[in-house]
Amino acid sequence: EYVIINLSNTLGKLPIVQEGELLSEKPNHLGIGMKILQDLANKYYGDLSYDYSDEYFQTKLILSTNVSQ
């Protein structure tokens, strides 16, 4: 069994992707949100994916509920 979390946000401008990594444009911001989500996906044998258009940024996080701690 899995938990699936879908997030959708409007975009002011397209994200910056460098060497396959999303970069934050916020001043003095570490931009670790997607890294945290990827760590969760790895810990709970899941998956993280994202997609974007001119208007929306969409994130899908899948986490397994069958994980022994």
Side-chain angles (χ1 to χ4, degrees), residues 9-52:
N9 294 308
T10 56
L11 280 178
K13 56 184 168 178
L14 293 177
I16 297 173
V17 180
Q18 184 176 10
E19 297 180 17
E21 299 281 327
L22 290 169
L23 300 179
S24 177
E25 290 187 335
K26 297 175 186 173
N28 302 315
H29 191 263
L30 297 176
I32 60 172
M34 293 297 282
K35 172 76 170 104
I36 291 170
L37 293 178
Q38 185 62 59
D39 289 347
L40 286 169
N42 293 340
K43 181 177 180 178
Y44 293 101
Y45 304 98
D47 187 51
L48 174 67
S49 61
Y50 67 87
D51 194 16
Y52 55 88

